[in-house]
Amino acid sequence: TEEDGCAPNGMLESAIFATATTVGFGVVASVSDIATRRIPNRLTAGAMLVALVLRIAATVLGGHGILTFFQGLAWPLGLFVALYIVWVAGLIGAGDVKLAASFSLVLPPEPGQQLIFILGTAAIGGVIAVAYLVIGRLRPAKVQAAHRPMSQLRRMIRVERWRARRHAGIPYAVAISLAATGAALAGIG
């Protein structure tokens, strides 16, 4: 209950669904972004569809009217417009824009959780960007003997170092997904 500092049942269920959605879609989007530097449209469309269903369910089950539903679209729409401008400037991928807007729609429209998501994405993205700067400056490891297979981690670092040196961009879906999951978990507390 609210008296003991926990979310009421309906809000708790909504936070659990939001967390499950951000984790599920976030893992797939992050793996795709790391592997190919693309987030498939099918994935972002699916995330948006699930987000809309969850937002409609939260509005109806919460006993709120249509006005509340449309007010709940303000954060995701504002974020989409802001990131669209960043995309036009060539600083972020279109899949990142769609994924962030979808996750914003999944989260409750409370400013606290939305700000955790937005600021968390920026902070985590900054850490990833710095890591890529460092990885790009690392010297290549010595070539291993043929009888010693390269570990998956070393292989991944080698590929990412190659990408960083060619300014291939960073897998921003990782930052978006981690921040959205953190914001969703903040709603459970």
Side-chain angles (χ1 to χ4, degrees):
T1 64
E2 290 184 48
E3 289 119 21
D4 59 11
C6 294
N9 269 353
M11 289 175 62
L12 178 62
E13 290 167 355
S14 179
I16 291 170
F17 283 126
T19 303
T21 301
T22 58
V23 168
F25 282 100
V27 166
V28 176
S30 296
V31 167
S32 176
D33 204 13
I34 290 168
T36 66
R37 292 302 190 268
R38 295 182 52 95
I39 304 170
N41 284 333
R42 290 187 313 262
L43 181 70
T44 56
M48 185 62 73
L49 181 63
V50 169
L52 277 170
V53 168
L54 288 175
R55 180 56 55 95
I56 291 168
T59 301
V60 171
L61 296 176
H64 305 292
I66 192 80
L67 180 62
T68 303
F69 173 77
F70 284 111
Q71 288 173 335
L73 297 179
W75 279 100
L77 186 58
L79 181 61
F80 180 83
V81 169
L83 291 178
Y84 178 81
I85 293 167
V86 174
W87 172 74
V88 168
L91 300 175
I92 194 170
D96 299 325
V97 173
K98 294 177 279 189
L99 185 67
S102 297
F103 284 172
S104 179
L105 185 60
V106 166
L107 296 170
E110 285 101 34
Q113 281 182 276
Q114 293 288 332
L115 288 174
I116 288 171
F117 171 52
I118 293 166
L119 297 175
T121 298
I124 295 167
V127 169
I128 293 171
V130 167
Y132 269 75
L133 287 173
V134 170
I135 287 173
R137 293 182 179 267
L138 291 177
R139 299 186 77 204
K142 293 180 182 176
V143 177
Q144 290 190 347
H147 66 278
R148 286 187 17 205
M150 187 180 298
S151 74
Q152 284 297 108
L153 179 60
R154 289 183 69 152
R155 187 172 295 174
M156 190 172 84
I157 290 171
R158 193 165 138 199
V159 168
E160 295 307 320
R161 185 177 52 238
W162 181 86
R163 286 177 172 164
R165 288 188 176 149
R166 283 154 185 78
H167 307 287
I170 64 170
Y172 213 68
V174 175
I176 294 166
S177 301
L178 288 173
T181 301
L185 287 170
I188 293 176

